[in-house]
Amino acid sequence: MRHERKDDTINIYDIAKLSGVSIATVSRVVNGSPKVSQKTKEKVLAVMQETEYTPNVFARGLGLDSMKTVGILCPNVADNYMATAVSYLEESLHQHGYNCILGCSGYDQKEREEYVKLILSKRVDTLMLVGSSFAGNSRSELDTEYIREAAATTPVFMLNGRVEGNNIYCACADDFHATYEVTKKLLSRNKQKILFLYNSDSFSARQKMAGYEAALSEAGYPIKGELKFKTKNNIEYTRDLLLEYKNLEFDSVVATDDAMAVGVLKYAKIKGISVPDELSVIGYNNSMLSVSCEPELTSIDSKLDILCKKTIHNMIQLLEKGEQIDQNITVSCDIVKRCSTDF
Amino acid sequence: MRHERKDDTINIYDIAKLSGVSIATVSRVVNGSPKVSQKTKEKVLAVMQETEYTPNVFARGLGLDSMKTVGILCPNVADNYMATAVSYLEESLHQHGYNCILGCSGYDQKEREEYVKLILSKRVDTLMLVGSSFAGNSRSELDTEYIREAAATTPVFMLNGRVEGNNIYCACADDFHATYEVTKKLLSRNKQKILFLYNSDSFSARQKMAGYEAALSEAGYPIKGELKFKTKNNIEYTRDLLLEYKNLEFDSVVATDDAMAVGVLKYAKIKGISVPDELSVIGYNNSMLSVSCEPELTSIDSKLDILCKKTIHNMIQLLEKGEQIDQNITVSCDIVKRCSTDF
């Protein structure tokens, strides 16, 4: 057994790894919880002795060698969804006495991997990855290997992304059912050419697309490739792209973020298409954009507040109470009806 | 001379304070710059010897005992302006090898003071205060005393706020001239009842109001109290508030942020008032909201990208090169013309 950290300070994650048990179990041993078997307790204590991991070290935090610091990584904090998430997380962490190191990694795979390493080198208590693009594009398991590596030393909490692995905890909106429901509603209003607008192959975008496809399949409609339309999450870009595609016919739109949906409204205005009479439009994230545009946008509230709250609650359960927590949480979305649909 | 830090590590700010010179001067002494007089050099070196501040300690950073960490504090990172600022700052700091500790203080004076203390206790190289509400409401000098206290140990950079004091560096948009110019334009189009919408008494809001008043005074118009109208930076709130004030007459609006201006557009739509024929509306910050609404909004681009870039440039000049930097920078705004005005 070799200890691989650069410096020689042993922490609770090392003890868990070397003992072959979870962090929660190590925490229970340290806190003298009766829930641990004598055999496990002896194994953990032996590792602690071997590595000279003394109770003194634990004393620094609440039973842990905590720096009371959380690393939050998101691709772009100027994005409204991520900014809102960081705001909720920071507020809640501050209330629990934790500080935040913020990193904005961009979307490049290599930059992102390096940024995770950098944040881990600061000895954070947990790493939080905000935004579903961290969960890779599903084309290769290798894209998420850096997250499993990170989780070998530090608990990783993912917000709206799902990666399987030890010590990785994911909280996701139920995007599949949200787009499934709105697509079903559109079909029930006799919409047959439903355009699906997306801007990435992230975990969340894939869930949304799968919900859209499931509703179509269930109703016996074909899934047409040309109606799954990739754009950018930008009003003008989406408007101009739709204006260019002269042969694209659609009577309704499900977009994976509000800015794309507003782009559709701008397109409809230029083309003289009446919303919602001739065209129904549904956005996502229920941002300020959805009440800024005309007509105001029916949008899916992805319940980011609850997602963040549950994430921090779980983090505290794990780190400070040594409780076992769910690795996967799913939160239901709400459909917020406004004037861009007739349902 | 007594050293007042809690721990006993002496840093460059202590040396500057104890020597009675600027940080830049200490840095020059350490870097052997010829710009420092022999007398000053001897004084600084004497303090360094007395406090056992050895060149070894300096070796950690680039000539400084740097943690390469910057504390960024803003009231609310979910706010689009602040999120965009934090995004620009973080990107630029990361490129220079600095990490960010992010704090969201809210708007309460006491919380804010405590948050500054907390961040300083992390031994950050600089403190950045994002948003003009940190500059107080001008009613009392006491409101900004905590910033001067912070600056006694750590350089403070303010983004769009201005506080006078040693070691405080401010970069501000020229909000005064921006509202002065648009108000003049409205007057030249025969608008005589110009509503000024604002949501705070922050430094920036005061500059904007002063510009509005200056243009009115210069043209010989009275400044009417009822036309300076306080609301929240929220679309629905502003719309509803204007609907309530049945006797408020206005033919044009200058708002201190885009959401308020969009609220005016919503009000106009309900009242059947044509924009811009009967009502001209001007927003601020040129956010995504300004292209989301109908008609699209003429808005003032406060050049946040340049403000952030100059702030980081100055920080690097000060910390790593020991250069003297301007304590006050002003950046001109642009007027972005769209369809809510007829100029």
Side-chain angles (χ1 to χ4, degrees):
Chain A
M1 284 194 297
R2 239 183 76 74
H3 174 59
E4 289 180 2
R5 280 187 177 279
K6 267 188 206 157
D7 58 355
D8 273 337
T9 322
I10 298 284
N11 72 4
I12 191 167
Y13 312 118
D14 301 316
I15 301 294
K17 206 175 165 188
L18 295 170
S19 312
V21 302
S22 70
I23 295 163
T25 302
V26 178
S27 178
R28 282 199 201 94
V29 171
V30 172
N31 291 310
S33 163
K35 289 187 195 165
V36 191
S37 75
Q38 190 59 28
K39 198 180 149 196
T40 304
K41 193 177 160 184
E42 279 168 15
K43 188 167 65 181
V44 172
L45 288 173
V47 170
M48 283 171 59
Q49 201 163 17
E50 192 184 327
T51 55
E52 297 179 351
Y53 189 51
T54 64
N56 289 351
V57 180
F58 275 110
R60 271 198 278 160
L62 209 169
L64 302 176
D65 58 339
S66 168
M67 298 286 284
K68 287 269 186 187
T69 301
V70 170
I72 299 181
L73 200 60
C74 69
N76 174 20
V77 79
D79 173 272
N80 180 62
Y81 179 89
M82 296 176 210
T84 307
V86 171
S87 170
Y88 284 131
L89 294 173
E90 194 280 342
E91 184 183 359
S92 189
L93 287 167
H94 182 62
Q95 281 166 0
H96 284 96
Y98 286 80
N99 309 297
C100 296
I101 294 180
L102 174 71
C104 306
S105 64
Y107 292 90
D108 178 72
Q109 178 74 14
K110 212 176 153 192
E111 295 258 340
R112 177 172 289 197
E113 293 180 11
E114 276 168 18
Y115 226 130
V116 165
K117 275 186 201 150
L118 175 72
I119 287 189
L120 292 185
S121 75
K122 307 289 163 197
R123 300 295 301 268
V124 292
D125 294 303
T126 55
L127 174 65
M128 299 218 166
L129 302 177
V130 174
S132 68
S133 67
F134 284 107
N137 57 18
S138 86
R139 283 191 287 275
S140 166
E141 276 284 302
L142 287 175
D143 284 353
T144 54
E145 193 52 35
Y146 73 108
I147 297 178
R148 282 180 289 275
E149 277 171 21
T153 57
T154 308
V156 176
F157 286 81
M158 301 191 68
L159 216 98
N160 221 22
R162 184 157 291 159
V163 168
E164 300 290 333
N166 280 333
N167 215 16
I168 302 175
Y169 305 93
C170 307
C172 293
D174 192 353
D175 295 319
F176 175 91
H177 278 102
T179 51
Y180 172 81
E181 285 300 330
V182 293
T183 305
K184 250 178 72 171
K185 273 181 196 289
L186 290 171
L187 290 168
S188 75
R189 307 301 262 171
N190 274 326
K191 302 293 184 184
Q192 306 202 352
K193 295 171 193 158
I194 307 174
L195 186 67
F196 179 80
L197 281 184
Y198 67 110
N199 69 321
S200 84
D201 303 315
S202 72
F203 175 79
S204 164
R206 299 196 304 275
Q207 296 302 307
K208 291 168 187 170
M209 191 183 280
Y212 160 81
E213 292 177 345
L216 286 174
S217 296
E218 197 184 271
Y221 288 97
I223 294 157
K224 291 182 181 164
E226 71 268 25
L227 287 177
K228 296 190 286 188
F229 197 83
K230 194 165 182 176
T231 175
K232 292 182 183 173
N233 191 27
N234 177 289
I235 296 170
E236 293 101 325
Y237 184 91
T238 300
R239 176 197 65 199
D240 294 345
L241 198 63
L242 289 175
L243 287 170
E244 263 176 42
Y245 278 73
K246 296 194 198 308
N247 296 322
L248 189 67
E249 283 183 32
F250 52 96
D251 54 22
S252 52
V253 177
V254 175
T256 56
D257 209 336
D258 282 337
M260 289 175 251
V262 174
V264 175
L265 297 180
K266 296 287 172 181
Y267 157 85
K269 184 164 184 273
I270 289 170
K271 298 282 280 185
I273 299 168
S274 165
V275 176
D277 297 341
E278 299 170 84
L279 178 65
S280 289
V281 185
I282 299 165
Y284 220 104
N285 288 333
N286 197 35
S287 69
M288 231 207 278
L289 289 184
S290 64
V291 290
S292 171
C293 56
E294 286 294 342
E296 295 182 13
L297 201 59
T298 294
S299 185
I300 293 163
D301 181 347
S302 50
K303 294 291 177 188
L304 192 48
D305 51 341
I306 295 176
L307 228 51
C308 292
K309 207 172 149 182
K310 292 203 172 196
T311 296
I312 301 302
H313 175 80
N314 270 357
M315 186 198 93
I316 297 296
Q317 292 297 107
L318 178 73
L319 289 190
E320 301 196 352
K321 303 188 177 155
E323 297 287 335
Q324 207 92 40
I325 57 170
D326 285 338
Q327 283 201 285
N328 288 305
I329 301 172
T330 305
V331 173
S332 291
C333 301
D334 279 353
I335 302 169
V336 182
K337 292 172 194 173
R338 296 199 185 86
C339 306
S340 65
T341 53
D342 56 6
F343 59 76
Chain B
M1 285 195 295
R2 236 183 79 74
H3 176 59
E4 290 178 3
R5 279 187 176 279
K6 267 188 206 157
D7 58 355
D8 274 336
T9 322
I10 299 283
N11 73 4
I12 190 167
Y13 312 118
D14 301 315
I15 301 294
K17 208 175 164 188
L18 296 169
S19 313
V21 301
S22 71
I23 296 164
T25 302
V26 179
S27 178
R28 282 199 202 95
V29 171
V30 172
N31 291 309
S33 162
K35 288 186 195 166
V36 192
S37 75
Q38 188 61 26
K39 197 180 151 195
T40 304
K41 193 176 159 186
E42 279 169 15
K43 187 168 64 181
V44 173
L45 288 172
V47 170
M48 283 171 58
Q49 201 164 18
E50 194 184 328
T51 56
E52 297 178 354
Y53 188 50
T54 63
N56 289 352
V57 180
F58 275 111
R60 270 199 277 161
L62 210 170
L64 303 176
D65 59 339
S66 169
M67 298 286 284
K68 287 270 185 187
T69 300
V70 170
I72 300 181
L73 200 60
C74 68
N76 174 20
V77 79
D79 173 272
N80 180 63
Y81 180 88
M82 296 177 211
T84 308
V86 171
S87 170
Y88 284 132
L89 293 173
E90 194 279 343
E91 184 184 359
S92 189
L93 287 167
H94 182 62
Q95 282 166 0
H96 284 96
Y98 285 80
N99 309 296
C100 296
I101 293 180
L102 175 71
C104 306
S105 63
Y107 291 91
D108 179 71
Q109 178 76 14
K110 211 175 152 192
E111 295 259 339
R112 179 172 289 198
E113 292 180 12
E114 276 167 19
Y115 225 131
V116 165
K117 275 185 202 149
L118 176 71
I119 288 190
L120 291 186
S121 76
K122 306 291 162 196
R123 300 294 302 267
V124 292
D125 294 303
T126 55
L127 174 65
M128 299 217 166
L129 302 177
V130 175
S132 67
S133 68
F134 285 107
N137 58 17
S138 85
R139 283 191 287 274
S140 166
E141 276 284 302
L142 287 174
D143 284 353
T144 55
E145 193 52 34
Y146 74 108
I147 298 178
R148 280 179 291 274
E149 275 171 23
T153 57
T154 309
V156 176
F157 286 81
M158 301 192 69
L159 215 97
N160 221 23
R162 185 158 292 158
V163 168
E164 300 290 333
N166 281 332
N167 215 18
I168 302 175
Y169 305 94
C170 307
C172 294
D174 191 353
D175 294 319
F176 176 91
H177 277 102
T179 52
Y180 172 81
E181 285 299 331
V182 293
T183 305
K184 250 179 73 173
K185 273 181 197 289
L186 290 172
L187 291 169
S188 76
R189 307 301 265 172
N190 274 326
K191 302 292 183 185
Q192 306 201 352
K193 297 171 191 156
I194 307 174
L195 186 68
F196 179 80
L197 281 184
Y198 66 110
N199 68 322
S200 84
D201 303 314
S202 71
F203 175 80
S204 164
R206 298 198 303 275
Q207 296 302 306
K208 289 168 187 169
M209 191 184 278
Y212 159 82
E213 291 177 345
L216 286 175
S217 297
E218 196 184 273
Y221 287 98
I223 294 158
K224 291 182 181 164
E226 73 267 24
L227 286 177
K228 295 191 286 188
F229 196 83
K230 195 165 181 177
T231 176
K232 293 184 184 172
N233 191 28
N234 177 288
I235 297 170
E236 292 102 325
Y237 184 90
T238 300
R239 177 198 64 200
D240 294 345
L241 198 63
L242 290 175
L243 286 170
E244 263 177 43
Y245 277 73
K246 295 195 198 307
N247 295 322
L248 189 67
E249 282 183 31
F250 52 96
D251 54 21
S252 51
V253 177
V254 175
T256 57
D257 209 336
D258 282 337
M260 288 175 249
V262 174
V264 176
L265 298 180
K266 297 286 172 182
Y267 157 85
K269 184 163 184 274
I270 289 170
K271 299 281 280 183
I273 299 168
S274 165
V275 176
D277 297 341
E278 299 169 83
L279 179 65
S280 289
V281 185
I282 299 166
Y284 220 103
N285 287 333
N286 197 35
S287 69
M288 231 207 280
L289 289 183
S290 64
V291 291
S292 171
C293 55
E294 286 294 341
E296 295 182 13
L297 201 59
T298 294
S299 186
I300 292 163
D301 180 348
S302 51
K303 294 291 176 187
L304 191 48
D305 51 340
I306 295 176
L307 229 50
C308 293
K309 207 172 149 183
K310 291 203 173 198
T311 297
I312 302 302
H313 175 81
N314 269 358
M315 186 198 93
I316 297 296
Q317 291 297 105
L318 177 72
L319 289 191
E320 301 196 352
K321 303 190 177 154
E323 298 286 335
Q324 207 92 40
I325 57 171
D326 285 338
Q327 283 201 284
N328 288 303
I329 302 172
T330 305
V331 172
S332 292
C333 301
D334 279 353
I335 302 169
V336 181
K337 292 172 195 173
R338 295 199 185 87
C339 307
S340 65
T341 52
D342 56 5
F343 58 74

